[in-house]
Amino acid sequence: MVHGVSETPSRGGEKPRKRLLMPWTACSTILLLAIFLGAWEAYVRFFGVSSLILPPPSAVVGGLIVMVGETETWNHVWVTVYETVLGFFFATVIGISLGAVLGKILWLEKTLNPFIIATQVVPKVALVPLFVVWFGFGPSSKVIVSAVLAFFPIFTNTLLGVKSVDTGHREVMRSLNASRWHTFWRLELPSALPYVLTGMEIGVVLAIIGAVVGEYLGGNAGLGHMAVAAMNAYQTNQLFAVIILLTGLGFSFYVTITALRRLIVPWHESVFVNRDQG
Amino acid sequence: MTAVEIELSGIDKVFPTPEGDIHALATTSLSINAGEFLVLLGSSGCGKTTLLRLIAGLVRPTNGQIRIGGRDLWPGKSRNRQAIQDMGIVFQEANLFPWLTIEKNISLPLSLKGASKSVLRETTRRLTKLVGIEGFERRWPRELSGGMRQRAAIARALSYDPQILLMDEPFGALDAMTRESMNLELQRIWMATQRTVVLVTHSIAEAVFLADRIVLLSPRPGRIDTVIDVPFERERDVRLQTSGEFQKIIRLLRDRLEHA
């Protein structure tokens, strides 16, 4: 499909039809959500399910409203945001630099490859208790878990991006006597950016998971801690409310990266296709 | 003024592979004059692209010497950067950078050389006009048709004012109609810029229509079979292709290709 699009110089004619489709898709999404919530509420009420096991949506919304009204909640949200952003930041910086370097130096990549694969397949969540022992119950252990989880997709995608530079483009730079620096800055980096951003999209979601899992296992702050506290207090509706907050958080991070994609690689196919559909 | 621009003295090219050496080009000598339109013609596997890539300095000859504008292309271990500066290359694919707009693609070579913004703007303005893609300066390459992209690639190759334009089947991926109009455009650009052009093609008609001189190559290993001067006046137009003289040269070349 992408190739077909690239052959067509102008696709202006298709746009009006797609615009007309938009309200209908939005309506059906909302309708679907309403049906789902209605069925959930009905199921819980008719079958008398204990709210300890599955609270009705109305109770979840009630819990959420109470929660949102408390400053305490926002302190927890802030802690999770802080850990995620910091972890994601380290993962991005280290992932991109290491990916770029290994992508350029073949022998180094070959030497380190077994280690990279080993660290990638090890269940990193199992290392969390170790990180807590090493770095304490404070935010630093969560930042590290978050960074470790987010690192790999960013690293591997950058590596792939740097290695996937088009041969024809390389020859253009070669025929222009381009220096190594120019070749990196004007060709390899922009060519790898779409890959890097894909890595970051996956990475940012993992960064949140890392922070929350870290909070589950140690410490007394953050949304992960709130979830555990709600469970221990048998407040299942509050647990659901925390999950909703986390989902919202994840969604805003993801949307930020997607917006970044439109900003940084407006020329790329992924953005073109999205722009036409949205 | 028939100064020799490109001189190949006894060059050959062997590509070593695990299954044995591939002799891509047998010992070849050829002189190309300044301002000449030379076409390298041959079927696939005859080494015409290898020959062009040797001239471009993209691959190194196994033996022999290449001189561009009097400068030895491979004086030592690495390419002579100054010899390369005089050449612009148009590849089979346009090879535009998708992250640069058409104007940024065209001005890329000059921007690598550190030219000022005003020079870049002036050059793109002049070249988009020359190759006929005005109004598309701010578009992404993917928004343009294949023919337009190839025009932009030609503009990019001309942007730093090289003495020599090397073209490797630049219109091979285009349909016959677009190809014909691109040939006319190319003739016009060549006449306007007075550059030395070396063009690789497997189309006999394209070769006869464009060339001052045709070098016919034969395969396995690639070597020069025949060199033919094309006598037609400039500016040539499409009706020339139906003339008896034109057809005669085509027949001659076709015979040679079959024997080769």
Side-chain angles (χ1 to χ4, degrees):
Chain A
M1 179 203 165
V2 161
H3 286 285
V5 167
S6 77
E7 289 307 312
T8 330
S10 163
R11 280 159 294 118
E14 289 175 32
K15 273 178 184 162
R17 198 166 54 94
K18 283 194 171 151
R19 287 248 163 77
L20 282 176
L21 279 172
M22 267 297 294
W24 165 240
T25 22
C27 280
S28 49
T29 308
I30 292 166
L31 194 70
L32 205 65
L33 187 67
I35 292 171
F36 172 71
L37 292 177
W40 176 358
E41 184 87 35
Y43 170 74
V44 171
R45 279 172 193 264
F46 282 122
F47 293 93
V49 179
S50 157
S51 68
L52 193 64
I53 292 167
L54 184 66
S58 54
V60 172
V61 171
L64 186 64
I65 288 167
V66 172
M67 215 178 256
V68 167
E70 287 169 2
T71 24
E72 184 66 21
T73 310
W74 293 106
N75 289 337
H76 287 298
V77 170
W78 165 243
V79 168
T80 304
V81 169
Y82 167 81
E83 293 162 352
T84 306
V85 168
L86 213 59
F88 181 63
F89 171 76
F90 286 130
T92 307
V93 171
I94 300 170
I96 293 177
S97 345
L98 206 60
V101 168
L102 293 203
K104 291 291 292 173
I105 308 172
L106 197 67
W107 66 266
L108 196 60
E109 193 215 340
K110 285 213 166 121
T111 317
L112 293 183
N113 210 24
F115 298 102
I116 292 163
I117 293 171
T119 37
Q120 205 160 7
V121 292
V122 85
K124 284 170 282 294
V125 174
L127 296 175
V128 174
L130 199 62
F131 290 139
V132 173
V133 171
W134 286 349
F135 304 103
F137 287 94
S140 41
S141 57
K142 285 83 173 177
V143 170
I144 287 172
V145 177
S146 165
V148 165
L149 283 192
F151 166 76
F152 282 100
I154 299 173
F155 164 73
T156 46
N157 276 283
T158 306
L159 183 66
L160 182 68
V162 171
K163 293 178 84 176
S164 311
V165 175
D166 186 87
T167 328
H169 291 162
R170 274 200 191 286
E171 292 208 324
V172 169
M173 289 307 260
R174 230 163 85 70
S175 73
L176 293 174
N177 269 333
S179 63
R180 281 187 81 122
W181 171 248
H182 270 149
T183 307
F184 174 73
W185 196 242
R186 307 293 292 269
L187 170 62
E188 285 155 1
L189 187 71
S191 163
L193 271 180
Y195 294 86
V196 174
L197 282 160
T198 302
M200 284 171 75
E201 272 172 21
I202 306 167
V204 79
V205 175
L206 290 174
I208 300 172
I209 294 176
V212 171
V213 169
E215 289 162 359
Y216 277 155
L217 295 182
N220 52 8
L223 287 172
H225 168 73
M226 264 185 98
V228 174
M231 206 59 242
N232 289 342
Y234 301 108
Q235 298 287 339
T236 314
N237 65 329
Q238 285 186 14
L239 175 65
F240 272 86
V242 171
I243 290 169
I244 291 172
L245 284 180
L246 276 171
T247 309
L249 199 62
F251 195 72
S252 22
F253 276 123
Y254 186 78
V255 165
T256 311
I257 302 293
T258 321
L260 209 61
R261 178 187 282 277
R262 281 171 192 235
L263 199 71
I264 296 179
V265 292
W267 51 270
H268 194 250
E269 284 145 2
S270 57
V271 175
F272 259 81
V273 172
N274 285 340
R275 194 192 286 160
D276 273 8
Q277 287 168 352
Chain B
M1 55 157 271
T2 45
V4 173
E5 184 85 67
I6 301 168
E7 184 153 33
L8 315 174
S9 330
I11 57 160
D12 70 351
K13 182 67 194 172
V14 178
F15 291 107
T17 70
E19 291 80 37
D21 291 352
I22 294 174
H23 211 168
L25 191 71
T27 309
T28 301
S29 294
L30 181 67
S31 294
I32 302 169
N33 294 328
E36 184 176 14
F37 200 126
L38 186 106
V39 171
L40 301 174
L41 174 69
S43 51
S44 51
C46 71
K48 56 189 190 298
T49 293
T50 302
L51 187 51
L52 191 85
R53 291 169 62 83
L54 282 163
I55 297 172
L58 289 171
V59 286
R60 187 177 188 158
T62 311
N63 294 297
Q65 195 190 44
I66 300 172
R67 299 183 83 85
I68 310 290
R71 296 192 188 95
D72 190 352
L73 186 55
W74 295 94
K77 278 193 124 184
S78 56
R79 293 186 303 176
N80 183 343
R81 296 174 72 89
Q82 284 183 325
I84 299 288
Q85 266 177 6
D86 278 339
M87 293 190 280
I89 308 177
V90 180
F91 298 90
Q92 288 183 31
E93 306 279 327
N95 282 338
L96 301 175
F97 290 2
W99 51 88
L100 298 178
T101 56
I102 293 300
E103 70 181 340
K104 292 267 170 62
N105 263 296
I106 292 173
S107 61
L108 173 76
L110 283 179
S111 127
L112 290 180
K113 291 184 205 307
S116 71
K117 280 233 163 69
S118 62
V119 170
L120 299 186
R121 210 177 307 119
E122 172 53 30
T123 309
T124 14
R125 202 190 52 75
R126 185 169 52 82
L127 286 171
T128 46
K129 194 161 185 272
L130 180 73
V131 301
I133 50 168
E134 296 147 289
F136 291 92
E137 291 88 345
R138 301 286 163 86
R139 297 297 193 92
W140 301 115
R142 53 170 301 137
E143 295 180 283
L144 270 62
S145 68
M148 304 256 262
R149 284 201 288 258
Q150 205 54 276
R151 284 165 194 254
I154 294 170
R156 177 177 62 189
L158 290 171
S159 66
Y160 48 105
D161 218 17
Q163 280 304 310
I164 303 164
L165 193 58
L166 305 176
M167 306 179 98
D168 184 9
E169 298 195 47
F171 312 130
L174 306 180
D175 62 276
M177 301 269 280
T178 315
R179 192 168 182 158
E180 189 162 87
S181 72
M182 290 299 288
N183 283 340
L184 284 168
E185 289 287 318
L186 181 57
Q187 176 182 234
R188 191 178 55 73
I189 292 166
W190 173 70
M191 289 175 75
T193 56
Q194 310 236 302
R195 295 291 174 255
T196 308
V197 175
V198 182
L199 180 132
V200 164
T201 184
H202 58 252
S203 156
I204 301 175
E206 188 169 84
V208 180
F209 183 74
L210 286 171
D212 289 331
R213 197 151 61 111
I214 297 172
V215 173
L216 186 72
L217 295 156
S218 61
R220 276 174 286 276
R223 67 198 138 79
I224 295 179
D225 182 274
T226 322
V227 180
I228 291 177
D229 287 307
V230 182
F232 306 118
E233 292 290 307
R234 307 278 180 176
E235 169 174 7
R236 302 171 184 169
D237 80 37
V238 280
R239 275 167 301 180
L240 175 69
Q241 304 194 6
T242 51
S243 76
E245 193 64 15
F246 192 91
Q247 295 297 333
K248 213 174 98 185
I249 298 178
I250 287 194
R251 262 197 304 281
L252 182 82
L253 287 165
R254 183 152 288 150
D255 283 349
R256 287 304 317 171
L257 270 173
E258 273 166 19
H259 285 284

